[in-house]
Every structure is written in C-alpha cells, then in structure tokens.
Amino acid sequence: MKSKRKTKRRIVITALAVVLVGILWTVVTAARILAYTDEDSSRISDAAIVLGAAVEGDNPSPVFRERIEHGIELYRQGTVHNLIFTGGSSGDGEHTEAEVGQKYAIAQGVDPADIRVETESRITEENLINSIPIGEQAGYQTYTIVSDPLHMKRAMKLATGLGMDAVPSPTRTTAYRTWRSKFPFLARETVMYMGYTIKGWIDNPQLP
C-alpha cells in the first residue's frame, strides 16, 4: 500500500513539475518575443523580404499595408535596394498577397524593376523558403525581414535556420495597437515559436 502511495505521489510531483516547467518556458518565450520587438537593424541589404498578410480584394489588409509601407520606406531611404513581396492567394481567382503588395508599391513610385514576387506561400516559413531561389536568381545575398514587431522573433528564427544572411526591421506602426488585439497575436506567436523550437530539437537531436 505504501509503495502504491509513493508511486502515486511521484507521478503527481512529476506532473506538477512538467506543468510548472511548461508555464515557465511559455512565460520566458513570450517575454523574449516582446523584448525582440525593439530589434531594428539599419544595415543596408540587397532586398527587403516583406512577409505576406491578408488582402481584401485588390487592397492590402491594414496589417499587410503597414508591412508594405515599411518596406517602401526602407527602399526610399536606401536601406534596401529591392523589395520581395511574398504570399499566395486564399482562393482560386483571387489576387495573391504578393501581387497586391507589388501593385501598391508601384503606385507609390517604386521602380517595377526593383520588385520581385513570391506567389505560392501560405505560411511564414514558406514565405522565406520560396524567397531564397528568387533572391539567388536576382543575385541578392543579404536581406532585411519586414513584418510586425511581435512576428519578428519567429521570422528571424526561421530565416537563421534557413541559413539566410538576414536582419530584422519591424514595422514602426502596427494594426495591433491595444493589448486586446496584441494578446491573441502574442499568444499565437509564443505557441508557434515553441513549436518550431521543439521541431528543431527533433530534427537535430544533437543540439542542446
């Protein structure tokens, strides 16, 4: 009987320890994502990769528009020499996110010759993976990643994992202005970041 009680106690203690470690890891990850929102490189890069977001017909959503505007600003400043817009379409016959971004940038005076588009991706990882051959074909070697501040930590983790020579440049304004809108975004990014970390451990078990 005592042995059963001890075994049950060990199981309870182990379960509590796992839960506490999980909570601590989640809190630390969220804090690191928040801290990374201030990371903003001024390095001159061959191209800015503007990560895709939703579109509304022929127009970018508020979130995507902020990313496009920031990419255009970097282009005008000379911080990047070219723009790569990324993102596919959500349905047949609809404009891709990349095409909407391209059209918007050209209307704002960006030289069409300085724009490349990646029109197949649906998630951040695909945005970056599909941009690599486009950049290689154009002769690009260095990149500036453009996205929302809370998205930047995960985007840079992915870019680094892909071996890209990339630096972050989060949008200076964002559609996620209040904590009511920020918290769900932060929660999602925290879970996604932890998921990619676990995937990395599985793919590379020799890493600490």
Side-chain angles (χ1 to χ4, degrees):
M1 183 66 72
K2 288 183 178 180
S3 177
K4 289 183 178 180
R5 288 178 179 175
K6 287 182 179 180
T7 299
K8 185 176 181 179
R9 185 179 300 172
R10 288 196 197 100
I11 293 174
V12 171
I13 292 173
T14 300
L16 287 173
V18 170
V19 170
L20 288 174
V21 169
I23 292 173
L24 179 61
W25 185 27
T26 301
V27 171
V28 170
T29 301
R32 292 177 64 194
I33 290 171
L34 283 170
Y36 201 81
T37 59
D38 292 327
E39 294 291 327
D40 189 358
S41 175
S42 59
R43 186 191 75 175
I44 296 175
S45 297
D46 293 329
I49 297 179
V50 182
L51 299 181
V55 298
E56 300 167 349
D58 294 337
N59 301 309
S61 64
V63 171
F64 193 27
R65 184 175 62 248
E66 297 293 342
R67 298 180 188 183
I68 298 169
E69 288 280 4
H70 188 60
I72 293 172
E73 180 183 359
L74 295 176
Y75 174 83
R76 288 173 174 166
Q77 291 173 347
T79 306
V80 301
H81 301 309
N82 303 275
L83 299 174
I84 299 178
F85 291 106
T86 67
S89 64
S90 57
D92 293 337
E94 296 184 9
H95 293 292
T96 66
E97 296 165 5
E99 290 169 335
V100 170
Q102 178 187 40
K103 178 181 176 182
Y104 187 101
I106 291 174
Q108 296 297 315
V110 176
D111 188 340
D114 295 334
I115 299 176
R116 302 290 186 278
V117 293
E118 178 286 302
T119 60
E120 301 297 327
S121 63
R122 294 182 179 275
I123 60 175
T124 302
E125 187 172 20
E126 292 175 354
N127 290 159
L128 297 171
I129 290 173
N130 295 346
S131 293
I132 292 174
I134 292 173
E136 289 177 345
Q137 185 176 15
Y140 306 155
Q141 295 183 331
T142 56
Y143 300 93
T144 295
I145 309 299
V146 174
S147 191
D148 288 84
L150 290 173
H151 189 210
M152 193 55 65
K153 178 73 172 175
R154 180 163 63 94
M156 286 303 299
K157 179 180 180 64
L158 291 169
T160 300
L162 292 169
M164 301 177 72
D165 184 352
V167 294
S169 187
T171 58
R172 294 187 177 89
T173 56
T174 176
Y176 302 99
R177 294 187 176 89
T178 66
W179 271 108
R180 185 175 181 180
S181 59
K182 284 182 180 180
F183 184 77
F185 192 2
L186 176 60
R188 179 179 180 277
E189 285 302 310
T190 299
V191 171
M192 293 292 288
Y193 190 91
M194 293 168 69
Y196 278 113
T197 299
I198 293 172
K199 181 177 181 295
W201 291 341
I202 294 173
D203 293 342
N204 299 283
Q206 74 276 12
L207 294 178

